[in-house]
Amino acid sequence: MSSSRQVPARMLFQPFAVRMAWRAMVLLLCVLLGACGSLPPFKQMAPTLTLPVDASTPLAKVVAASTPPGEHSGFRLMPLGVYSLDARIELAARAQHTLDLQYYLIADDGAGRLLLRSLKEAALRGVRVRLLVDDLYTASTEQMLLALQDTPNVEVRLFNPFCCARGHLASRFIASAFDLPRLNHRMHNKLFIADGVMAVAGGRNIADEYFTLNIAQNFVDMDALVVGKVVAQLGNIFDDYWNSEEVYPIAQIVRPGRQVPVRDKAFDVSVGMAGPERRIPLPSTDTLGYGPIGEELDAGRMGLLWGEAHAIADPPAKLRFVRPDQAYDASVTKRLWARLMEAEHDIFLTTPYLVPGESGIASLEDVRRRNVKVTLLTNSLAANDEPLVHGGYVRYRVRLLKAGIDLYELSPARTARSERLGMFGKSVGRLHAKTAVVDRREMFIGSANLDPRSATENTELGIVVDSPQLAREMLRIINISKLESAYRLRLAEPGDRIEWLTIDNEKEVILHSEPESTWFQRVYNQTFAPLVPEDLL
C-alpha cells in the first residue's frame, strides 16, 4: 500500500499567501499534466466466461438438496450486517471451482482485509478468482489488489480506471481534468458468486460500515443469498462486465510500489494470512429468525423462500452513451419505475437517496390518483451522508406529502436504540438499502437509488422476484425500520410546513424542524443545495 507523506515542518510556518500561491502552482501543474494524462492503449484481454456448474461440489449439493421440484430461484434475505459478511466468508471458504466478484468499493479495513484474505486462501486451494472493482476508491487499496493479482488463479480488473496521479482521489481527478465526463460514470454494482450456484447480491459494499463494524457510522442495508436459475443470469451479467471495453487488467493501470516479494509479504501481513482466521461475532439468530448460514451449509440443506426471479443490470457501456435519455432507456431505474407504475394496490420503497425528478414525482402522483398506497422510507438530514442530495429530495418533499404518500425518514438515534437491525452503539445509523415491494408479491433488491446518478450515470444491478412469501419478509424489515427507527412526516395545517412525528415513552412527539440535525447541517443544506443542478446530484 502507498503510505501518506508528511508535510515538511518548514512548510507549516510559511505565510498564508505563500502557501496559497504554492498550492495554486501545484494545482496548475496538475491541470497542465492532466492535458496529457490518458489511459494506455486498450489491450485486448483474453475473454473468460463463467465455468459450467460442477454438480459434485459441496455448494452445488446443498443447492440440489434444498430445491423443491419445479422451483425457479431461492432467497434468504440478510438485513443483519454481520450475517451478510459471514455469508460471503463462508461461501469463499467452501468454494471449490470459482469465485466471481464485482464491487463499487472494497475498503482497506477489517471487512475488506477479511474478504481479500478469503479470496487468496481460495485461490491457493485452486479456486479461480475473478475480482472486478470500480476504480474510484482504490487509491488506498490498489497495491493490495495488485498483490492479490500475484496469487496463482487470481485475476483483478478495474472498471473505468483513472490514468495517473493515482495516490489520492483529488490528484486523480486533477490529472484527468479533461477526461471528467468519462470518469463521472462509475460501476455501482455489488455481486458475489460462488461455484456458479450461490450468490450474494444487494446494496452492500465491502467496508466495515456496511456490516455494523464501524464505531463512527453504520448503514441499515439489505442483501440476499441467492440460489437457482437466477444465478446463471447473474453470471452472464458478470461476464458482460468482465469482458467489456470499460475494464482493464489492474497490472496495466497500477504501477508497483514495491518489489513483488515485498509487496506480497506486506499483503499477507495486512490481511493476517499467518494468524488465526478472524471470527465474526454473530447473534444466535438474525432479525428474521434465521441462524448463521454456515450451520445450514454444514447440515447440507438450507431453508429458503422461492419465486420466479429475473436479474437486471445496466450495460457496462452505459458510460459511452452520448445522451442522458439513451442511458436512462437502458437503465435498471427505468425498468424499476415501469414496474412501480403498474402497481394495483400498494408500493413500499426504501432508498437512501430520493430525488425523483419531475417525471418521477408526476408518476407517483398518478399512481396515488389511482388509489395505490405508496410508502417511502429514506434518510433524514441527520442520517444522510450526502447533504446536497438531501437538498434535492427536499425540493419534492411537500409534493410527496400532498399527494398522500406515507413518508418516513430514518432517525440515527432511534436506529441505535432499536438494535433489531444491528448493534449500532454510539455510531450514526444511516439508511443504505435499496428495496421495493409491489402489491405485496413482487420484490426488488439491488444497488439502484431513486436519483439521477443511478438513472443516467452509474451502472446498477438488481433482482426482481415474484414471491408473496419473500415480499412478506421484506415488508417485515421495512416495517421495523419504519415504525421503530424513523420519523413519520406530515403537513401541518394550514400551509406547507412539515412536522416530524415520533413515539417517545409511548407518547407522540411532534417536531417542527429537521430532527437531530445540527445548525451547520441545516444552514449548509439551505444555502448550497438549491445551487446544485438536479442532474448533478
Side-chain angles (χ1 to χ4, degrees), residues 290-315:
Y290 296 111
I293 294 294
E295 295 178 0
E296 295 184 57
L297 294 175
D298 287 340
R301 195 180 191 93
M302 297 188 64
L304 302 164
L305 296 178
W306 298 83
E308 184 172 346
H310 301 280
I312 54 178
D314 295 344

PDB file of all heavy atoms in Angstrom, residues 290-315:
ATOM      1  N   TYR A 290     -33.497 -16.459  11.385  1.00  0.00           N
ATOM      2  CA  TYR A 290     -32.618 -17.465  10.780  1.00  0.00           C
ATOM      3  C   TYR A 290     -31.306 -17.546  11.550  1.00  0.00           C
ATOM      4  O   TYR A 290     -30.807 -16.556  12.088  1.00  0.00           O
ATOM      5  CB  TYR A 290     -32.320 -17.124   9.326  1.00  0.00           C
ATOM      6  CG  TYR A 290     -33.531 -17.145   8.421  1.00  0.00           C
ATOM      7  CD1 TYR A 290     -34.040 -15.964   7.878  1.00  0.00           C
ATOM      8  CD2 TYR A 290     -34.167 -18.341   8.121  1.00  0.00           C
ATOM      9  CE1 TYR A 290     -35.149 -15.979   7.050  1.00  0.00           C
ATOM     10  CE2 TYR A 290     -35.275 -18.363   7.290  1.00  0.00           C
ATOM     11  CZ  TYR A 290     -35.774 -17.180   6.761  1.00  0.00           C
ATOM     12  OH  TYR A 290     -36.874 -17.194   5.946  1.00  0.00           O
ATOM     13  N   GLY A 291     -30.700 -18.740  11.542  1.00  0.00           N
ATOM     14  CA  GLY A 291     -29.386 -18.924  12.118  1.00  0.00           C
ATOM     15  C   GLY A 291     -28.303 -18.634  11.095  1.00  0.00           C
ATOM     16  O   GLY A 291     -28.586 -18.324   9.936  1.00  0.00           O
ATOM     17  N   PRO A 292     -27.019 -18.733  11.503  1.00  0.00           N
ATOM     18  CA  PRO A 292     -25.915 -18.480  10.574  1.00  0.00           C
ATOM     19  C   PRO A 292     -25.934 -19.429   9.384  1.00  0.00           C
ATOM     20  O   PRO A 292     -26.301 -20.603   9.501  1.00  0.00           O
ATOM     21  CB  PRO A 292     -24.671 -18.707  11.440  1.00  0.00           C
ATOM     22  CG  PRO A 292     -25.137 -18.494  12.846  1.00  0.00           C
ATOM     23  CD  PRO A 292     -26.551 -18.988  12.876  1.00  0.00           C
ATOM     24  N   ILE A 293     -25.520 -18.900   8.246  1.00  0.00           N
ATOM     25  CA  ILE A 293     -25.502 -19.683   7.009  1.00  0.00           C
ATOM     26  C   ILE A 293     -24.632 -20.930   7.156  1.00  0.00           C
ATOM     27  O   ILE A 293     -24.962 -22.009   6.654  1.00  0.00           O
ATOM     28  CB  ILE A 293     -24.993 -18.806   5.843  1.00  0.00           C
ATOM     29  CG1 ILE A 293     -25.978 -17.677   5.543  1.00  0.00           C
ATOM     30  CG2 ILE A 293     -24.729 -19.654   4.589  1.00  0.00           C
ATOM     31  CD1 ILE A 293     -27.312 -18.144   5.023  1.00  0.00           C
ATOM     32  N   GLY A 294     -23.490 -20.792   7.853  1.00  0.00           N
ATOM     33  CA  GLY A 294     -22.562 -21.913   7.977  1.00  0.00           C
ATOM     34  C   GLY A 294     -23.186 -23.137   8.596  1.00  0.00           C
ATOM     35  O   GLY A 294     -22.864 -24.269   8.213  1.00  0.00           O
ATOM     36  N   GLU A 295     -24.077 -22.951   9.564  1.00  0.00           N
ATOM     37  CA  GLU A 295     -24.713 -24.094  10.206  1.00  0.00           C
ATOM     38  C   GLU A 295     -25.552 -24.887   9.216  1.00  0.00           C
ATOM     39  O   GLU A 295     -25.535 -26.131   9.220  1.00  0.00           O
ATOM     40  CB  GLU A 295     -25.582 -23.614  11.368  1.00  0.00           C
ATOM     41  CG  GLU A 295     -24.791 -22.977  12.508  1.00  0.00           C
ATOM     42  CD  GLU A 295     -25.691 -22.465  13.614  1.00  0.00           C
ATOM     43  OE1 GLU A 295     -26.936 -22.603  13.480  1.00  0.00           O
ATOM     44  OE2 GLU A 295     -25.164 -21.932  14.616  1.00  0.00           O
ATOM     45  N   GLU A 296     -26.275 -24.172   8.337  1.00  0.00           N
ATOM     46  CA  GLU A 296     -27.105 -24.871   7.354  1.00  0.00           C
ATOM     47  C   GLU A 296     -26.253 -25.499   6.258  1.00  0.00           C
ATOM     48  O   GLU A 296     -26.581 -26.583   5.753  1.00  0.00           O
ATOM     49  CB  GLU A 296     -28.134 -23.906   6.761  1.00  0.00           C
ATOM     50  CG  GLU A 296     -29.134 -23.408   7.802  1.00  0.00           C
ATOM     51  CD  GLU A 296     -30.211 -22.533   7.197  1.00  0.00           C
ATOM     52  OE1 GLU A 296     -30.915 -22.993   6.276  1.00  0.00           O
ATOM     53  OE2 GLU A 296     -30.332 -21.378   7.650  1.00  0.00           O
ATOM     54  N   LEU A 297     -25.167 -24.843   5.874  1.00  0.00           N
ATOM     55  CA  LEU A 297     -24.272 -25.444   4.892  1.00  0.00           C
ATOM     56  C   LEU A 297     -23.648 -26.716   5.447  1.00  0.00           C
ATOM     57  O   LEU A 297     -23.498 -27.722   4.721  1.00  0.00           O
ATOM     58  CB  LEU A 297     -23.184 -24.445   4.485  1.00  0.00           C
ATOM     59  CG  LEU A 297     -23.657 -23.204   3.728  1.00  0.00           C
ATOM     60  CD1 LEU A 297     -22.494 -22.249   3.486  1.00  0.00           C
ATOM     61  CD2 LEU A 297     -24.299 -23.591   2.394  1.00  0.00           C
ATOM     62  N   ASP A 298     -23.287 -26.716   6.726  1.00  0.00           N
ATOM     63  CA  ASP A 298     -22.750 -27.930   7.350  1.00  0.00           C
ATOM     64  C   ASP A 298     -23.790 -29.042   7.360  1.00  0.00           C
ATOM     65  O   ASP A 298     -23.458 -30.228   7.182  1.00  0.00           O
ATOM     66  CB  ASP A 298     -22.313 -27.633   8.787  1.00  0.00           C
ATOM     67  CG  ASP A 298     -21.039 -26.808   8.854  1.00  0.00           C
ATOM     68  OD1 ASP A 298     -20.290 -26.790   7.848  1.00  0.00           O
ATOM     69  OD2 ASP A 298     -20.796 -26.177   9.903  1.00  0.00           O
ATOM     70  N   ALA A 299     -25.051 -28.670   7.559  1.00  0.00           N
ATOM     71  CA  ALA A 299     -26.119 -29.667   7.601  1.00  0.00           C
ATOM     72  C   ALA A 299     -26.491 -30.181   6.222  1.00  0.00           C
ATOM     73  O   ALA A 299     -27.198 -31.185   6.093  1.00  0.00           O
ATOM     74  CB  ALA A 299     -27.352 -29.076   8.283  1.00  0.00           C
ATOM     75  N   GLY A 300     -26.064 -29.475   5.158  1.00  0.00           N
ATOM     76  CA  GLY A 300     -26.324 -29.936   3.799  1.00  0.00           C
ATOM     77  C   GLY A 300     -27.655 -29.511   3.226  1.00  0.00           C
ATOM     78  O   GLY A 300     -28.040 -29.975   2.140  1.00  0.00           O
ATOM     79  N   ARG A 301     -28.343 -28.615   3.903  1.00  0.00           N
ATOM     80  CA  ARG A 301     -29.659 -28.200   3.432  1.00  0.00           C
ATOM     81  C   ARG A 301     -29.984 -26.817   3.988  1.00  0.00           C
ATOM     82  O   ARG A 301     -29.688 -26.530   5.148  1.00  0.00           O
ATOM     83  CB  ARG A 301     -30.717 -29.210   3.885  1.00  0.00           C
ATOM     84  CG  ARG A 301     -32.055 -29.104   3.176  1.00  0.00           C
ATOM     85  CD  ARG A 301     -33.017 -30.152   3.713  1.00  0.00           C
ATOM     86  NE  ARG A 301     -34.200 -30.250   2.885  1.00  0.00           N
ATOM     87  CZ  ARG A 301     -34.352 -31.099   1.881  1.00  0.00           C
ATOM     88  NH1 ARG A 301     -33.379 -31.942   1.591  1.00  0.00           N
ATOM     89  NH2 ARG A 301     -35.451 -31.134   1.163  1.00  0.00           N
ATOM     90  N   MET A 302     -30.608 -25.975   3.155  1.00  0.00           N
ATOM     91  CA  MET A 302     -30.927 -24.619   3.574  1.00  0.00           C
ATOM     92  C   MET A 302     -32.424 -24.351   3.476  1.00  0.00           C
ATOM     93  O   MET A 302     -33.092 -24.852   2.568  1.00  0.00           O
ATOM     94  CB  MET A 302     -30.187 -23.597   2.697  1.00  0.00           C
ATOM     95  CG  MET A 302     -28.679 -23.661   2.790  1.00  0.00           C
ATOM     96  SD  MET A 302     -27.921 -22.289   1.911  1.00  0.00           S
ATOM     97  CE  MET A 302     -28.522 -20.916   2.890  1.00  0.00           C
ATOM     98  N   GLY A 303     -32.915 -23.554   4.417  1.00  0.00           N
ATOM     99  CA  GLY A 303     -34.290 -23.086   4.329  1.00  0.00           C
ATOM    100  C   GLY A 303     -34.339 -21.797   3.536  1.00  0.00           C
ATOM    101  O   GLY A 303     -33.729 -20.799   3.936  1.00  0.00           O
ATOM    102  N   LEU A 304     -35.040 -21.779   2.409  1.00  0.00           N
ATOM    103  CA  LEU A 304     -35.087 -20.633   1.507  1.00  0.00           C
ATOM    104  C   LEU A 304     -36.529 -20.327   1.119  1.00  0.00           C
ATOM    105  O   LEU A 304     -37.409 -21.192   1.245  1.00  0.00           O
ATOM    106  CB  LEU A 304     -34.261 -20.917   0.243  1.00  0.00           C
ATOM    107  CG  LEU A 304     -32.781 -21.250   0.451  1.00  0.00           C
ATOM    108  CD1 LEU A 304     -32.196 -21.889  -0.807  1.00  0.00           C
ATOM    109  CD2 LEU A 304     -32.003 -20.000   0.816  1.00  0.00           C
ATOM    110  N   LEU A 305     -36.753 -19.116   0.649  1.00  0.00           N
ATOM    111  CA  LEU A 305     -38.047 -18.750   0.084  1.00  0.00           C
ATOM    112  C   LEU A 305     -37.909 -18.685  -1.428  1.00  0.00           C
ATOM    113  O   LEU A 305     -36.909 -18.177  -1.952  1.00  0.00           O
ATOM    114  CB  LEU A 305     -38.514 -17.399   0.641  1.00  0.00           C
ATOM    115  CG  LEU A 305     -38.777 -17.377   2.148  1.00  0.00           C
ATOM    116  CD1 LEU A 305     -39.189 -15.985   2.594  1.00  0.00           C
ATOM    117  CD2 LEU A 305     -39.841 -18.400   2.547  1.00  0.00           C
ATOM    118  N   TRP A 306     -38.944 -19.163  -2.147  1.00  0.00           N
ATOM    119  CA  TRP A 306     -38.806 -19.412  -3.575  1.00  0.00           C
ATOM    120  C   TRP A 306     -39.742 -18.538  -4.403  1.00  0.00           C
ATOM    121  O   TRP A 306     -40.819 -18.148  -3.965  1.00  0.00           O
ATOM    122  CB  TRP A 306     -39.066 -20.891  -3.873  1.00  0.00           C
ATOM    123  CG  TRP A 306     -38.063 -21.764  -3.181  1.00  0.00           C
ATOM    124  CD1 TRP A 306     -38.108 -22.190  -1.887  1.00  0.00           C
ATOM    125  CD2 TRP A 306     -36.833 -22.215  -3.720  1.00  0.00           C
ATOM    126  NE1 TRP A 306     -36.983 -22.905  -1.603  1.00  0.00           N
ATOM    127  CE2 TRP A 306     -36.171 -22.948  -2.696  1.00  0.00           C
ATOM    128  CE3 TRP A 306     -36.210 -22.095  -4.967  1.00  0.00           C
ATOM    129  CZ2 TRP A 306     -34.939 -23.542  -2.893  1.00  0.00           C
ATOM    130  CZ3 TRP A 306     -34.984 -22.695  -5.162  1.00  0.00           C
ATOM    131  CH2 TRP A 306     -34.354 -23.409  -4.128  1.00  0.00           C
ATOM    132  N   GLY A 307     -39.317 -18.260  -5.620  1.00  0.00           N
ATOM    133  CA  GLY A 307     -40.127 -17.491  -6.546  1.00  0.00           C
ATOM    134  C   GLY A 307     -39.458 -17.400  -7.893  1.00  0.00           C
ATOM    135  O   GLY A 307     -38.296 -17.813  -8.071  1.00  0.00           O
ATOM    136  N   GLU A 308     -40.175 -16.864  -8.864  1.00  0.00           N
ATOM    137  CA  GLU A 308     -39.588 -16.640 -10.186  1.00  0.00           C
ATOM    138  C   GLU A 308     -38.832 -15.322 -10.161  1.00  0.00           C
ATOM    139  O   GLU A 308     -39.387 -14.281  -9.787  1.00  0.00           O
ATOM    140  CB  GLU A 308     -40.672 -16.603 -11.262  1.00  0.00           C
ATOM    141  CG  GLU A 308     -40.096 -16.481 -12.666  1.00  0.00           C
ATOM    142  CD  GLU A 308     -41.135 -16.638 -13.751  1.00  0.00           C
ATOM    143  OE1 GLU A 308     -42.256 -17.095 -13.434  1.00  0.00           O
ATOM    144  OE2 GLU A 308     -40.835 -16.294 -14.917  1.00  0.00           O
ATOM    145  N   ALA A 309     -37.573 -15.360 -10.560  1.00  0.00           N
ATOM    146  CA  ALA A 309     -36.703 -14.195 -10.409  1.00  0.00           C
ATOM    147  C   ALA A 309     -36.020 -13.855 -11.721  1.00  0.00           C
ATOM    148  O   ALA A 309     -35.758 -14.726 -12.559  1.00  0.00           O
ATOM    149  CB  ALA A 309     -35.653 -14.457  -9.331  1.00  0.00           C
ATOM    150  N   HIS A 310     -35.725 -12.567 -11.868  1.00  0.00           N
ATOM    151  CA  HIS A 310     -35.007 -12.085 -13.047  1.00  0.00           C
ATOM    152  C   HIS A 310     -33.969 -11.068 -12.601  1.00  0.00           C
ATOM    153  O   HIS A 310     -34.273 -10.130 -11.863  1.00  0.00           O
ATOM    154  CB  HIS A 310     -35.970 -11.440 -14.051  1.00  0.00           C
ATOM    155  CG  HIS A 310     -37.044 -12.365 -14.531  1.00  0.00           C
ATOM    156  ND1 HIS A 310     -36.836 -13.308 -15.514  1.00  0.00           N
ATOM    157  CD2 HIS A 310     -38.333 -12.513 -14.130  1.00  0.00           C
ATOM    158  CE1 HIS A 310     -37.948 -13.992 -15.720  1.00  0.00           C
ATOM    159  NE2 HIS A 310     -38.878 -13.529 -14.894  1.00  0.00           N
ATOM    160  N   ALA A 311     -32.740 -11.263 -13.046  1.00  0.00           N
ATOM    161  CA  ALA A 311     -31.666 -10.311 -12.763  1.00  0.00           C
ATOM    162  C   ALA A 311     -31.653  -9.245 -13.850  1.00  0.00           C
ATOM    163  O   ALA A 311     -31.791  -9.548 -15.038  1.00  0.00           O
ATOM    164  CB  ALA A 311     -30.323 -11.026 -12.714  1.00  0.00           C
ATOM    165  N   ILE A 312     -31.504  -7.996 -13.438  1.00  0.00           N
ATOM    166  CA  ILE A 312     -31.462  -6.889 -14.388  1.00  0.00           C
ATOM    167  C   ILE A 312     -30.237  -6.034 -14.084  1.00  0.00           C
ATOM    168  O   ILE A 312     -29.838  -5.883 -12.929  1.00  0.00           O
ATOM    169  CB  ILE A 312     -32.738  -6.022 -14.333  1.00  0.00           C
ATOM    170  CG1 ILE A 312     -33.025  -5.531 -12.901  1.00  0.00           C
ATOM    171  CG2 ILE A 312     -33.931  -6.788 -14.876  1.00  0.00           C
ATOM    172  CD1 ILE A 312     -34.231  -4.627 -12.781  1.00  0.00           C
ATOM    173  N   ALA A 313     -29.623  -5.490 -15.133  1.00  0.00           N
ATOM    174  CA  ALA A 313     -28.422  -4.676 -14.944  1.00  0.00           C
ATOM    175  C   ALA A 313     -28.293  -3.692 -16.086  1.00  0.00           C
ATOM    176  O   ALA A 313     -28.731  -3.949 -17.214  1.00  0.00           O
ATOM    177  CB  ALA A 313     -27.177  -5.560 -14.867  1.00  0.00           C
ATOM    178  N   ASP A 314     -27.685  -2.551 -15.780  1.00  0.00           N
ATOM    179  CA  ASP A 314     -27.320  -1.610 -16.831  1.00  0.00           C
ATOM    180  C   ASP A 314     -26.204  -2.211 -17.674  1.00  0.00           C
ATOM    181  O   ASP A 314     -25.381  -2.974 -17.163  1.00  0.00           O
ATOM    182  CB  ASP A 314     -26.810  -0.304 -16.226  1.00  0.00           C
ATOM    183  CG  ASP A 314     -27.879   0.445 -15.451  1.00  0.00           C
ATOM    184  OD1 ASP A 314     -29.062   0.124 -15.633  1.00  0.00           O
ATOM    185  OD2 ASP A 314     -27.511   1.333 -14.674  1.00  0.00           O
ATOM    186  N   PRO A 315     -26.122  -1.867 -18.951  1.00  0.00           N
ATOM    187  CA  PRO A 315     -24.983  -2.329 -19.757  1.00  0.00           C
ATOM    188  C   PRO A 315     -23.706  -1.640 -19.291  1.00  0.00           C
ATOM    189  O   PRO A 315     -23.732  -0.455 -18.926  1.00  0.00           O
ATOM    190  CB  PRO A 315     -25.354  -1.903 -21.180  1.00  0.00           C
ATOM    191  CG  PRO A 315     -26.285  -0.753 -20.999  1.00  0.00           C
ATOM    192  CD  PRO A 315     -27.049  -1.026 -19.737  1.00  0.00           C
TER     193      PRO A 315
END
